[in-house]
Amino acid sequence: MSNEVLLVSKKNLTDMKRYYTTCLKSSTPPGAFFAAKKGAVNVTGYNSGKVLFQGADSEKEAAIWKSKASIVPPKKKESSASSLNTPLPKDFSSWSVIGSDEVGTGSYFGPLTVVAAYADHSQLALLKELGVRDSKDMKDPEIIRVAKDLITFLPHSLLNVMPEKYNTIQPTMTQGKMKAILHNQALGHVIEKISPQKPDGILIDQFELPATYFKHINDQPKQIKESVYFQTKGEGHHLAVAAASIIARYAFLKGLDELSAKAGFKIPSGAGSNIDLVAAKLLKQGGIPLLRNYAKLHFANTEKAKKISGLR
């Protein structure tokens, strides 16, 4: 039986119990705050904040809450088998590398954006001079300025899945699989762009176990597997990932601007309580058919917005 474990706050634990009200079990195991069965998935929330999802669709059900939680990794049997990262060769940071990263996975509104970018070793000094570094240490105006420079010369592939398309795809696959497929496609596009030149290596900003990633892309017609490495905080290991992250953030912000122009008011990023109010406003204007054009509907924010708008 597959399972997923998340760690949530007491408030979110209460919200989850409320969400599963119609499918709560009559009894709970020791230490549990609630127990529910939704379809083929058993959901047990413990007083400690841990929430266990068990069943064939556990990954899909847990994905609803991941933006509000921390992921509890599975217990390690052998560190080498379950490590999230793959060791990088010596001097990897000076290699010619294709790096890939994604933005928007934790934001209720806006697109899911994946970018792969190639940084030749001869360009690394230039990238530093332009200000390329971890985008989390950069404010949006600087990200926009640097990204506009990068896209003029850096070989890259940008895949922007806007909410309407995202909501069409998401019921058929988990967000993890969606991201893996997008990374694989973006990497393939860049490899084609720089051909016959080949990168010394490929670095994916790690978002799941390498084995899971390759499982997610095993049904794709073209699978990029040669010299692929995975690292959490990949921006700190090679400027190619940092550049990809900057371009991705820029594209994500442009996506929000497009949605704001369409709505006639600001569409914010994130998934906090302020987001629920904006979602409720859209629901009142046009219901779910309108909201699906702006938001990732499987997030818990949708149910909260329904309550606020009185549509539930």
Side-chain angles (χ1 to χ4, degrees):
M1 179 182 291
S2 62
N3 66 79
E4 292 278 327
V5 182
L6 302 180
L7 183 62
V8 303
S9 67
K10 182 65 176 178
K11 178 182 181 302
N12 286 329
L13 194 65
T14 301
D15 289 343
M16 291 177 76
K17 182 177 181 179
R18 190 179 300 115
Y19 175 84
Y20 292 111
T21 297
T22 59
C23 49
L24 289 174
K25 294 182 179 179
S26 57
S27 60
T28 59
F33 182 67
F34 74 88
K37 184 175 179 63
K38 181 182 175 184
V41 183
N42 287 292
V43 185
T44 307
Y46 292 90
N47 292 317
S48 63
K50 284 188 177 181
V51 184
L52 175 62
F53 300 81
Q54 294 176 298
D57 295 324
S58 59
E59 186 178 5
K60 183 176 181 179
E61 188 67 23
I64 298 174
W65 305 98
K66 283 185 178 178
S67 65
K68 296 284 190 180
S70 300
I71 301 173
V72 180
K75 292 183 178 180
K76 298 182 178 180
K77 294 181 180 179
E78 295 181 13
S79 58
S80 61
S82 58
S83 174
L84 296 178
N85 297 323
T86 49
L88 296 177
K90 186 178 179 181
D91 300 327
F92 183 87
S93 62
S94 63
W95 285 17
S96 297
V97 167
I98 299 177
S100 67
D101 199 1
E102 81 281 335
V103 174
T105 58
S107 179
Y108 181 60
F109 291 119
L112 167 59
T113 305
V114 174
V115 170
Y118 175 64
D120 187 85
H121 68 89
S122 64
Q123 297 174 310
L124 298 180
L126 173 60
L127 294 182
K128 287 183 180 179
E129 185 177 333
L130 290 173
V132 174
R133 60 191 189 279
D134 188 342
S135 62
K136 296 180 185 64
D137 297 330
M138 302 168 67
K139 293 184 178 180
D140 287 344
E142 184 182 11
I143 286 175
I144 293 169
R145 177 181 59 78
V146 175
K148 285 181 176 180
D149 286 335
L150 295 178
I151 60 179
T152 63
F153 71 91
L154 205 65
H156 68 281
S157 173
L158 190 162
L159 301 177
N160 218 30
V161 183
M162 294 300 283
E164 184 176 9
K165 184 175 181 181
Y166 180 97
N167 290 318
T168 301
I169 299 171
Q170 189 275 327
T172 66
M173 67 176 69
T174 64
Q175 192 185 73
K177 181 175 177 65
M178 195 187 308
K179 289 193 292 184
I181 290 174
L182 291 170
H183 275 270
N184 182 67
Q185 289 178 350
L187 293 170
H189 293 164
V190 176
I191 288 173
E192 290 178 2
K193 285 185 178 182
I194 66 174
S195 179
Q197 189 174 3
K198 290 187 177 181
D200 297 326
I202 293 171
L203 181 59
I204 298 173
D205 191 63
Q206 180 274 322
F207 57 90
E208 61 187 1
L209 288 167
T212 303
Y213 173 86
F214 289 122
K215 180 181 178 181
H216 279 157
I217 67 169
N218 66 8
D219 58 351
Q220 296 301 291
K222 185 174 182 180
Q223 300 165 31
I224 309 303
K225 294 183 176 181
E226 184 178 352
S227 301
V228 175
Y229 301 89
F230 299 82
Q231 284 285 324
T232 53
K233 299 181 180 179
E235 303 96 326
H237 295 279
H238 201 281
L239 289 176
V241 179
S245 179
I246 289 169
I247 297 172
R249 176 67 181 175
Y250 169 58
F252 173 76
L253 292 173
K254 284 183 66 178
L256 286 179
D257 286 344
E258 290 173 12
L259 294 175
S260 296
K262 186 186 298 185
F265 51 86
K266 183 174 177 58
I267 299 297
S269 63
S273 57
N274 62 310
I275 301 297
D276 302 335
L277 297 175
V278 178
K281 184 175 181 178
L282 288 166
L283 279 174
K284 288 180 179 179
Q285 288 183 356
I288 291 294
L290 178 63
L291 183 61
R292 67 177 285 108
N293 296 323
Y294 293 85
K296 302 174 183 74
L297 293 180
H298 66 100
F299 278 39
N301 300 83
T302 301
E303 293 303 316
K304 294 178 182 179
K306 285 181 180 178
K307 291 181 182 178
I308 295 171
S309 64
L311 297 181
R312 185 170 180 179

